[in-house]
Amino acid sequence: MPEPVKKTVSAFTKKPKTTEVTAGNTAVFEAETEKSGIKVKWQRAGTEITESEKYVIKTEGNKHSLTINNVGKEDDVTYAVIAGSSKVKFELKVKEPEKSETVTPAGAVPAPAASESPAPAAESSQNREASSAETQPEEHQDPIGLFVARPQDGEVTVGGNISFTAKVAGESLLKKPSVKWFKGKWMDLGSKVGKHLQLHENYDRNSKVYTFEMEIIEANMTFAGGYRCEVSTKDKFDSSNFNLTVNEAPVSGDLDIRAAFRRTTEGHDDGAEFNFTSLLKKRDSFLRSANRGEGKSESQSDVDVWDILRKASPTEYEKIAFQYGITDLRGMLKRLKRIKKEEKKSTAFLKKLDPAYQVDKGQKIKLMVEVANPDADVKWLKNGQEIQVSGSKYIFEAVGNKRILTINHCSLADDAAYECVVGDEKSFTELFVKEPPILITHPLEDQMVMVGERVEFECEVSEEGATVKWEKDGIELTREETFKYRFKKDGKKQYLIINESTKEDSGHYTVKTNGGVSVAELIVQEKKLEVYQSIADLTVKARDQAVFKCEVSDENVKGIWLKNGKEVIPDERIKISHIGRIHKLTIEDVTPEDEADYSFIPQGFAYNLSAKLQFLEVKIDFVPREEPPKIHLDCLGQSPDTIVVVAGNKLRLDVPVSGDPTPTVIWQKVNKRNDLLRNKDDSMTPSENSSDLNTDNKLLFESEGRVRVEMHEDHCVFIIEGAEKEDEGVYRVILKNPVGEDKADITVKVIDVPDPPEAPTISNIGEDYCTVQWQPPKYDGGQPVLGYILERKKKKSYRWMRLNFDLLKELTYEAKRMIEGVVYEMRIYAVNSIGMSRPSPASQPFMPIAPPSEPTHFTVEDVSDSTVSLKWRPPERIGAGGLDGYILEYCKDGSTEWIPALPGLTERTTALVKDLVTGDKLYFRIKAVNLAGESGAATIKEPVTVQEILQRPKFWLPRHLRQTLVKKVGETINIVIPFQGKPRPKITWLKNGQTLDSKDVGIRNSNTDTILFIRKAELHHSGTYEVTLQIENMSDKVAIIIQIIDKPGPPQNIKLVDVWGFNAALEWTPPQDDGNAQILGYTVQKADKKTMEWYTVFDHYRRTNCIVSDLIMGNEYFFRIFSENLCGLSETAAITKNPAHIQKTGTIYKPPSYKAHDFSEAPKFTHPLVNRSVIAGYNTTLSCAVRGIPKPKIFWFKNKMDLSGDAKYRMFSKQGVLTLEIRKPTPFDGGIYTCKAVNECGEDEIECRLDVRVPQ
């Protein structure tokens, strides 16, 4: 099953619930938040509700309410209440007012009398609502699925009755629908109908509605849980879930024991069942309430008494019954006997399935049982259907007695109930498939768009088709509220799409899975267009090329070109291009008709970029021969001193010249020292011209290349292709002919975009803001910097987001709306009239964090003559920067200097300030510190006087120590007694008036309590302990009585006084050692002499004599007696020395006397020795058999010589078979061997010959 890593905590402590109201009445919804002061919004069908006469919104502290007056049918919609990131939905159901007959409302039902049965009183409100609903058939006008009315959640007390009703419309059904009731996931309640459960159904022919009812009678705590009602027809299916809550019955101070022991069946049959459950629960509740009155907070866990009794031995039944308050022992024993009979051991299974298994999704699981018959066939069922072999999904194995079902690649469809069937026996289990947490592998990225643009947030998760939740500023986005948002899944990728963004869409968007969260910011700006480069005026000659170029900020903006107000239509000579942010108008082979005003208008913006094209006419005048050279620069229409060209553009400078004969043109680039850097002469050789130039310069002749000069008859052209910064300078043109010379200087200035600024620096970092600072670029491109553009991105992202659309004039900027705890980087662009520079290097990564809020609950805990003890709680808001510690300071009254009270930071929330001057008045303050700095200070308003406060000594003795404290031997004693008193009092412990031995008893004292500790209690630790508090002449004293108890010794002087009939009388005296506790009774047991198995005759017997009856005639019995106190039975028992013989009455049988038979017999060999011939060196044996009573003694001889002392020979005798082993015989061992058997009745002997041969 899916299990989320982390669950969101709701801000609501009380949530509004779905309400049903009659039209025309008033509906009130109430909610409570965890804290007061939280802003709460109410929504109706996804739209925020504003206060009016119809809607009344109230807020009092942490309580919030919405009142809807004059409810109508149009108010039957879904409502929601929002606080922070928590959103709770609820419904208002409006029903029509009753028309025909008046139905008594649920609230008007009179309460039952106290003497009546509690069952009707415990009936829930659902019953009354269901009964009233039956009289209103017009309510089921718009059924959802098959249900007209679904069963609702119910609540009942223990012992009460409750009914759940489901109604199904039968108008469109051909036959009655099938209804099933389930508890939990799979338990079908149809088979559980009986004493506590009844199922009813009926059909209303007028309204054509089927009513199905489930009635629970005398509910107990085990009935609580989730239920399900399923309705099915031939082609339709519907289900409804509901919950039942069972509360404990209220217990009054007087516990009715007799009512608790009421029999479950009527009559007075001794075999009737007693219901002890009510007594146990009432007694448990009574004890818990008593413990609460005594100040104890420990709750007793529920105990299954019958489970304890089943596992206990019969000798402990009375002890367990006494411990748990059961007094009807006969009824308990009968029920226990019946329970034990019902427990049947499985004959088909040696080991069944576990109750439940869990497996991760995608893994495999093995379900294994052990069967008694290794040849048995088993069936595996899933949700009641037999599992068939299909591919590699299910694998069935049989290994010996084991039967294994393997499920591979588990999915959510495998989350079901399984059972293994062997014959008529079944073994059940449930398999839960756990989904692994879904992680966000690629997070969301911040975005900045213009109004009306499409926004697409994209993230990638760890599993395909996973379910995610989208939120905006903490509020969940759903398709129900608006069609503005579109959610899309593509494999592992998840998308949130906003087709047309508006200013209201700005905010933080969050995607959540059960294993991660990702946040991104969306900034929506109004559309603004910036012109990075405007079009410039042009002056061109005939048949030249004219190019108008402009650059705007948005590369997606289109536009039109106008000529004298009319749109320019492109053709073969006129070209219009749009590449990125650059728009161009190119006119080839310029003619006089092209001279006009040209404009570029971006679509959708109120901009008009204009420039003028001037056509240059070349006038040729008749010049007489021998005319000196002349440079005609005044025809350019502008100052000849400076020509500006944009870097990357083409510079073409036409210089009309005249002279006869044709002059020589020399182009030079000079520096500030007028050094000749470059020349060009199209008609002279270097040697001819070198005499007129500086000999330090080299003359260059270039007719091709990036920088070149073209010479024509009446003019020369200076061309720079793709102007660069190095081309900037003063160019000098010189004309020479025999008549004279002329020269002119032209300054060429190359302008460009600025150099990128250096990396910006980040300072003044806060919770969601920071200050960005930078320096101007080293080179401004020849034009003043108009402003700067700032961009931001997350550290792990690749998307940069622009922060400003208006150029920044200053060198600082405060960036806001960042997410605390996320690492960011910044970069800067410089902009001049030419365009935007390349981006600067990214800044150092930084994380927006804020100092924590000030600590809370800062108070003084204690004051002495030289110390002050303080305590506080952590700040309410810590933030992503964590918490490094606290700074504690104090200031003397009348001073302004704050002095550190502790060296450095402290991580604790308590502090003891030492070495203070007695009598000083001090102010204290505390600050929390993290990476972002210090928080605000929490201050104690009033000054604290450093002076010990005298407090009278007094013990606060716990209630359980006001009576005798009873402990068993070996248990640990730990007594804590709190007290008050200042200055610290002197504490004295005494036992029975004597000082305590520190080796035996441990004493630990603090400023607020004293502790007596004994690791292992012994009997000598019993006694009265007195503890005294002493401060000067004031004191307080308490006494504690401790009683250490142990198991008693066995009874003494047990006597078998008399035996008569089937009875035996016993007497004994109390044990010498009572274990320091009162003897509660004795346990008398008997044992038959034949079996010596002990059976209990009396338990908790209080007298010291008894008569044991119902003994069996002819048997002899021993008796033993255990003594018992609070610790239990004695470890040993007193046993009668002599058995009690229960004699038979009537004729005494005298057995006949027989003469004993004499079985004595003289030895006689039954199997003789056999002559043998053996090979030397190999062990050999001689064997014979003999009989005789009593068992004869055996002697072996060789050639009449006794062999018993010779180690070479070994003699064996087993069951009358006699063996002589000769180890590795030699020829010397050959001869006559004799075996002789002797007993008190006679003797016998036998002999044989042994030959030993040497191998040849």
Side-chain angles (χ1 to χ4, degrees):
M1 297 292 292
E3 190 173 343
V5 194
K6 188 175 180 183
K7 190 175 180 180
T8 307
V9 180
S10 176
F12 292 100
T13 57
K14 179 182 178 183
K15 302 177 181 179
K17 297 182 179 179
T18 298
T19 306
E20 187 174 1
V21 179
T22 306
N25 290 347
T26 300
V28 179
F29 298 99
E30 296 181 347
E32 292 185 10
T33 54
E34 191 174 9
K35 299 178 183 178
S36 59
I38 296 178
K39 187 177 180 181
V40 170
K41 297 180 182 179
W42 298 85
Q43 288 185 347
R44 177 185 183 275
T47 306
E48 186 174 350
I49 299 175
T50 57
E51 191 165 2
S52 61
E53 293 182 0
K54 183 175 181 65
Y55 301 103
V56 180
I57 300 174
K58 294 183 180 180
T59 299
E60 296 180 0
N62 66 332
K63 296 183 179 179
H64 310 269
S65 65
L66 169 65
T67 304
I68 305 176
N69 297 315
N70 193 17
V71 173
K73 196 66 179 177
E74 66 278 2
D75 296 319
D76 192 343
V77 294
T78 301
Y79 294 80
V81 58
I82 301 172
S85 60
S86 297
K87 182 176 182 180
V88 179
K89 293 185 178 181
F90 53 93
E91 295 180 358
L92 172 59
K93 298 182 179 179
V94 182
K95 62 182 181 180
E96 295 295 333
E98 301 168 1
K99 297 178 180 178
S100 56
E101 60 181 38
T102 305
V103 181
T104 304
V109 177
S115 61
E116 293 178 358
S117 173
E123 186 172 358
S124 70
S125 61
Q126 282 80 357
N127 296 346
R128 296 192 289 272
E129 292 176 7
S131 62
S132 64
E134 290 175 4
T135 64
Q136 302 176 19
E138 62 274 7
E139 290 184 8
H140 55 80
Q141 296 177 357
D142 186 20
I144 303 173
L146 292 173
F147 284 103
V148 173
R150 297 172 180 266
Q152 303 296 320
D153 294 346
E155 189 171 355
V156 69
T157 56
V158 172
N161 303 341
I162 187 170
S163 298
F164 296 94
T165 303
K167 294 185 178 181
V168 179
E171 294 180 0
S172 60
L173 303 180
L174 299 177
K175 54 190 296 187
K176 188 182 76 171
S178 174
V179 174
K180 291 185 178 181
W181 299 84
F182 294 89
K183 181 178 188 298
K185 206 169 185 180
W186 309 112
M187 183 185 290
D188 189 352
L189 299 180
S191 61
K192 306 296 181 182
V193 174
K195 176 181 175 183
H196 294 285
L197 179 68
Q198 294 293 328
L199 301 179
H200 308 286
E201 59 182 60
N202 60 63
Y203 177 65
D204 189 345
R205 296 184 179 275
N206 297 327
S207 60
K208 295 183 179 180
V209 172
Y210 292 94
T211 302
F212 301 91
E213 184 180 19
M214 180 181 71
E215 183 181 6
I216 296 177
I217 305 169
E218 296 182 6
N220 60 49
M221 295 299 291
T222 60
F223 292 173
Y227 291 78
R228 185 172 78 258
C229 177
E230 290 187 357
V231 180
S232 60
T233 62
K234 185 177 180 180
D235 55 351
K236 294 182 180 179
F237 175 82
D238 201 357
S239 67
S240 177
N241 297 314
F242 56 95
N243 295 312
L244 173 61
T245 304
V246 182
N247 301 320
E248 289 190 2
V251 181
S252 59
D254 49 343
L255 190 63
D256 188 0
I257 300 298
R258 292 174 297 174
F261 278 95
R262 189 178 294 114
R263 293 181 185 270
T264 57
T265 57
E266 296 181 359
H268 301 284
D269 183 15
D270 289 343
E273 177 185 355
F274 282 84
N275 188 355
F276 299 96
T277 309
S278 59
L279 174 66
L280 294 176
K281 290 183 177 176
K282 289 182 180 179
R283 182 177 182 273
D284 189 43
S285 302
F286 179 74
L287 291 176
R288 282 202 296 269
S289 62
N291 289 341
R292 285 196 295 269
E294 296 174 3
K296 292 185 179 180
S297 61
E298 298 177 358
S299 60
Q300 300 180 359
S301 59
D302 294 334
V303 178
D304 188 352
V305 180
W306 299 112
D307 186 54
I308 297 176
L309 288 169
R310 278 199 301 269
K311 297 177 181 178
S313 65
T315 58
E316 298 180 353
Y317 286 167
E318 189 170 355
K319 176 182 176 182
I320 297 172
F322 175 76
Q323 180 179 353
Y324 291 96
I326 302 175
T327 55
D328 188 358
L329 301 182
R330 179 181 294 180
M332 180 193 75
L333 292 173
K334 288 185 176 180
R335 178 173 177 177
L336 189 62
K337 185 177 181 181
R338 187 161 57 253
I339 290 176
K340 289 190 174 182
K341 285 183 179 178
E342 292 174 357
E343 292 180 355
K344 295 181 179 179
K345 189 174 181 181
S346 173
T347 57
F349 291 97
L350 297 178
K351 181 181 179 182
K352 291 189 174 184
L353 296 169
D354 293 340
Y357 295 87
Q358 179 172 306
V359 64
D360 289 335
K361 184 178 177 182
Q363 302 297 318
K364 72 176 182 179
I365 184 71
K366 288 190 176 183
L367 308 180
M368 185 180 69
V369 298
E370 291 186 17
V371 295
N373 182 7
D375 299 326
D377 294 329
V378 301
K379 290 182 180 180
W380 292 93
L381 307 181
K382 174 184 176 182
N383 291 344
Q385 302 295 325
E386 185 175 356
I387 301 174
Q388 304 295 336
V389 179
S390 58
S392 61
K393 178 68 176 177
Y394 301 102
I395 299 175
F396 303 88
E397 297 180 77
V399 182
N401 290 65
K402 296 180 180 179
R403 300 294 183 268
I404 303 171
L405 169 63
T406 303
I407 306 174
N408 293 314
H409 307 292
C410 291
S411 64
L412 294 181
D414 298 315
D415 188 292
Y418 294 82
E419 53 188 295
C420 181
V421 181
V422 179
D424 296 332
E425 293 195 33
K426 300 179 180 179
S427 176
F428 296 89
T429 188
E430 274 193 281
L431 175 62
F432 296 96
V433 180
K434 177 183 176 183
E435 280 192 296
I438 298 171
L439 305 177
I440 298 177
T441 57
H442 186 74
L444 300 175
E445 294 186 351
D446 296 339
Q447 295 194 37
M448 174 179 284
V449 298
M450 307 300 294
V451 172
E453 290 185 349
R454 184 175 186 267
V455 179
E456 184 176 293
F457 284 105
E458 175 189 345
C459 74
E460 187 174 330
V461 296
S462 58
E463 186 173 334
E464 293 187 2
T467 301
V468 301
K469 183 170 73 171
W470 292 92
E471 293 181 355
K472 177 182 180 290
D473 295 331
I475 300 175
E476 183 178 358
L477 303 178
T478 62
R479 293 184 179 87
E480 301 173 0
E481 297 176 358
T482 176
F483 293 99
K484 182 177 186 64
Y485 305 103
R486 189 159 64 90
F487 307 100
K488 177 182 171 184
K489 296 180 182 179
D490 184 9
K492 295 183 179 181
K493 294 184 178 181
Q494 303 278 342
Y495 298 90
L496 170 63
I497 301 172
I498 306 173
N499 286 323
E500 293 185 2
S501 58
T502 62
K503 289 282 290 183
E504 291 73 19
D505 293 325
S506 297
H508 290 89
Y509 288 79
T510 306
V511 60
K512 293 183 178 180
T513 67
N514 59 2
V517 177
S518 178
V519 183
E521 182 182 8
L522 172 63
I523 299 177
V524 183
Q525 294 282 0
E526 294 288 352
K527 281 190 175 181
K528 290 184 180 180
L529 189 67
E530 295 183 29
V531 179
Y532 293 155
Q533 180 181 354
S534 183
I535 57 178
D537 295 341
L538 296 177
T539 302
V540 295
K541 282 177 52 180
R543 308 191 64 81
D544 282 350
Q545 182 190 67
V547 179
F548 291 101
K549 183 178 75 171
C550 67
E551 183 178 359
V552 295
S553 59
D554 191 348
E555 61 184 18
N556 296 320
V557 170
K558 298 179 181 179
I560 59 174
W561 290 88
L562 303 178
K563 175 184 178 183
N564 292 333
K566 294 183 180 181
E567 184 175 356
V568 177
I569 306 300
D571 54 21
E572 294 182 357
R573 195 172 61 87
I574 301 175
K575 309 293 184 184
I576 296 177
S577 64
H578 173 201
I579 302 175
R581 296 182 296 190
I582 298 176
H583 297 260
K584 283 185 180 182
L585 172 63
T586 305
I587 304 174
E588 303 287 350
D589 299 331
V590 175
T591 63
E593 290 76 13
D594 295 326
E595 186 173 30
D597 289 329
Y598 290 85
S599 302
F600 175 74
I601 300 177
Q603 289 183 359
F605 297 92
Y607 283 97
N608 187 352
L609 309 179
S610 300
K612 189 173 183 179
L613 174 63
Q614 292 182 347
F615 182 75
L616 176 64
E617 293 185 7
V618 181
K619 297 180 180 180
I620 304 175
D621 297 329
F622 177 76
V623 180
R625 303 184 67 81
E626 299 261 335
E627 181 185 357
K630 177 81 173 163
I631 300 174
H632 303 276
L633 289 176
D634 54 345
C635 63
L636 296 176
Q638 61 181 11
S639 174
D641 295 333
T642 302
I643 296 177
V644 178
V645 62
V646 178
N649 288 357
K650 177 180 178 181
L651 173 62
R652 180 186 177 94
L653 183 59
D654 292 285
V655 181
V657 297
S658 63
D660 195 7
T662 303
T664 300
V665 182
I666 302 174
W667 283 89
Q668 300 174 338
K669 182 180 180 184
V670 298
N671 56 17
K672 295 180 181 180
R673 297 172 300 174
N674 294 325
D675 293 333
L676 298 179
L677 302 179
R678 180 179 300 171
N679 63 47
K680 170 65 183 179
D681 187 351
D682 288 346
S683 62
M684 293 176 60
T685 62
S687 61
E688 293 174 346
N689 195 37
S690 60
S691 60
D692 298 328
L693 301 176
N694 192 324
T695 57
D696 295 334
N697 292 279
K698 183 180 179 182
L699 299 178
L700 301 176
F701 296 87
E702 296 182 6
S703 59
E704 294 182 359
R706 190 177 64 83
V707 181
R708 65 184 184 272
V709 175
E710 295 179 357
M711 193 63 196
H712 300 276
E713 182 179 355
D714 57 351
H715 68 283
C716 67
V717 182
F718 179 67
I719 300 174
I720 301 178
E721 295 282 358
E724 297 177 354
K725 186 174 181 296
E726 292 76 11
D727 298 328
E728 188 176 273
V730 179
Y731 290 83
R732 179 176 298 167
V733 57
I734 302 173
L735 297 182
K736 289 183 180 181
N737 70 0
V739 180
E741 73 175 46
D742 192 10
K743 66 178 178 180
D745 289 341
I746 302 172
T747 301
V748 176
K749 182 178 181 181
V750 180
I751 59 176
D752 196 358
V753 297
D755 286 349
E758 294 182 354
T761 58
I762 310 299
S763 61
N764 191 26
I765 300 175
E767 180 179 4
D768 61 348
Y769 62 88
C770 71
T771 300
V772 187
Q773 295 177 324
W774 61 92
Q775 297 298 324
K778 295 181 179 179
Y779 173 62
D780 61 3
Q783 294 290 306
V785 175
L786 301 178
Y788 300 90
I789 294 175
L790 190 63
E791 288 187 339
R792 179 190 78 198
K793 80 173 183 67
K794 296 178 183 176
K795 172 67 175 174
K796 295 182 180 180
S797 174
Y798 299 99
R799 184 195 297 269
W800 287 91
M801 187 177 69
R802 188 168 173 176
L803 298 184
N804 63 297
F805 282 89
D806 296 330
L807 293 179
L808 302 175
K809 307 297 183 182
E810 304 294 334
L811 297 177
T812 61
Y813 179 76
E814 185 175 357
K816 298 180 179 180
R817 297 173 61 84
M818 290 182 285
I819 303 171
E820 186 179 9
V822 177
V823 180
Y824 290 95
E825 291 178 339
M826 296 281 189
R827 70 181 183 185
I828 195 80
Y829 294 85
V831 180
N832 63 4
S833 59
I834 303 303
M836 190 166 60
S837 70
R838 296 192 307 275
S840 70
S843 67
Q844 290 294 326
F846 67 95
M847 179 190 297
I849 54 176
S853 60
E854 66 274 2
T856 59
H857 300 84
F858 185 38
T859 56
V860 177
E861 190 173 22
D862 194 12
V863 181
S864 69
D865 286 339
S866 61
T867 62
V868 174
S869 179
L870 303 163
K871 65 178 181 179
W872 60 91
R873 292 183 184 176
E876 292 183 355
R877 184 185 59 78
I878 295 177
L883 187 63
D884 294 340
Y886 301 94
I887 296 176
L888 181 62
E889 298 175 322
Y890 66 86
C891 174
K892 294 184 179 180
D893 189 14
S895 174
T896 58
E897 181 185 1
W898 288 94
I899 304 171
L902 300 173
L905 298 179
T906 178
E907 296 180 358
R908 305 178 63 182
T909 56
T910 60
L912 179 64
V913 184
K914 301 179 180 180
D915 301 329
L916 300 177
V917 179
T918 304
D920 280 357
K921 293 185 177 181
L922 304 177
Y923 288 95
F924 289 90
R925 71 180 184 185
I926 185 77
K927 297 179 183 178
V929 180
N930 69 359
L931 292 173
E934 300 177 358
S935 70
T939 310
I940 296 176
K941 297 181 180 179
E942 298 297 329
V944 179
T945 303
V946 183
Q947 185 175 358
E948 187 74 65
I949 302 173
L950 185 63
Q951 188 179 29
R952 188 177 187 85
K954 181 174 178 60
F955 281 107
W956 301 101
L957 190 64
R959 187 185 298 269
H960 70 281
L961 295 178
R962 297 178 186 176
Q963 54 191 2
T964 302
L965 181 63
V966 180
K967 292 286 184 178
K968 295 181 180 179
V969 170
E971 290 184 346
T972 300
I973 300 176
N974 190 17
I975 299 174
V976 181
I977 305 176
F979 60 81
Q980 69 177 29
K982 292 184 180 180
R984 181 170 178 173
K986 180 182 178 182
I987 305 171
T988 306
W989 282 86
L990 299 176
K991 177 190 174 186
N992 299 329
Q994 302 295 324
T995 304
L996 293 178
D997 184 3
S998 59
K999 296 181 180 179
D1000 196 23
V1001 180
I1003 303 294
R1004 302 172 189 169
N1005 300 322
S1006 69
N1007 292 333
T1008 56
D1009 56 32
T1010 178
I1011 300 175
L1012 173 71
F1013 180 78
I1014 301 176
R1015 190 175 300 277
K1016 286 187 178 181
E1018 302 291 345
L1019 288 175
H1020 66 269
H1021 290 135
S1022 301
T1024 301
Y1025 291 78
E1026 292 183 353
V1027 57
T1028 305
L1029 284 180
Q1030 184 74 36
I1031 300 177
E1032 298 179 357
N1033 58 349
M1034 297 178 292
S1035 64
D1036 191 19
K1037 179 189 296 184
V1038 294
I1040 302 168
I1041 300 175
I1042 300 178
Q1043 180 182 356
I1044 309 300
I1045 61 175
D1046 197 1
K1047 292 182 179 180
Q1052 295 182 311
N1053 304 323
I1054 182 173
K1055 295 180 181 178
L1056 183 62
V1057 178
D1058 193 8
V1059 178
W1060 74 97
F1062 304 105
N1063 309 303
L1066 301 174
E1067 283 186 357
W1068 64 90
T1069 57
Q1072 184 177 359
D1073 179 15
D1074 60 1
N1076 199 26
Q1078 180 183 358
I1079 299 297
L1080 300 178
Y1082 302 91
T1083 298
V1084 181
Q1085 295 181 342
K1086 66 179 179 181
D1088 189 356
K1089 184 178 179 181
K1090 298 176 182 176
T1091 62
M1092 288 308 291
E1093 293 183 3
W1094 295 95
Y1095 296 90
T1096 301
V1097 181
F1098 297 106
D1099 271 346
H1100 308 296
Y1101 193 80
R1102 294 188 174 275
R1103 300 179 183 177
T1104 57
N1105 55 74
C1106 70
I1107 297 175
V1108 182
S1109 305
D1110 298 333
L1111 301 177
I1112 297 174
M1113 181 189 306
N1115 289 357
E1116 294 184 73
Y1117 292 91
F1118 285 96
F1119 300 93
R1120 70 179 182 185
I1121 302 173
F1122 294 90
S1123 53
E1124 182 180 5
N1125 64 3
L1126 284 176
C1127 268
L1129 298 177
S1130 59
E1131 294 183 354
T1132 59
I1135 306 177
T1136 55
K1137 294 182 179 179
N1138 300 318
H1141 182 236
I1142 308 303
Q1143 296 184 351
K1144 295 182 180 179
T1145 58
T1147 305
I1148 300 175
Y1149 173 74
K1150 293 183 179 180
S1153 59
Y1154 297 98
K1155 184 176 180 182
H1157 179 71
D1158 187 9
F1159 291 94
S1160 299
E1161 180 183 2
K1164 182 179 180 182
F1165 286 94
T1166 59
H1167 189 279
L1169 290 173
V1170 179
N1171 295 332
R1172 296 194 63 185
S1173 176
V1174 298
I1175 298 174
Y1178 295 91
N1179 291 357
T1180 188
T1181 57
L1182 302 176
S1183 299
C1184 61
V1186 68
R1187 73 179 184 186
I1189 301 176
K1191 184 178 180 180
K1193 292 184 178 180
I1194 306 301
F1195 303 94
W1196 287 90
F1197 301 93
K1198 175 193 172 186
N1199 298 330
K1200 304 300 182 181
M1201 296 191 61
D1202 190 4
L1203 300 178
S1204 58
D1206 195 338
K1208 187 178 181 67
Y1209 303 94
R1210 286 201 303 175
M1211 302 153 189
F1212 304 97
S1213 175
K1214 185 176 182 181
Q1215 301 293 332
V1217 176
L1218 309 178
T1219 304
L1220 174 66
E1221 181 183 5
I1222 306 171
R1223 297 179 181 180
K1224 297 181 180 180
T1226 62
F1228 175 77
D1229 293 321
I1232 302 299
Y1233 286 84
T1234 304
C1235 181
K1236 185 177 183 180
V1238 179
N1239 69 0
E1240 61 185 16
C1241 296
E1243 63 182 32
D1244 192 9
E1245 66 180 22
I1246 192 170
E1247 64 183 19
C1248 70
R1249 183 175 183 84
L1250 177 66
D1251 293 330
V1252 180
R1253 297 176 285 116
V1254 177
Q1256 298 296 327

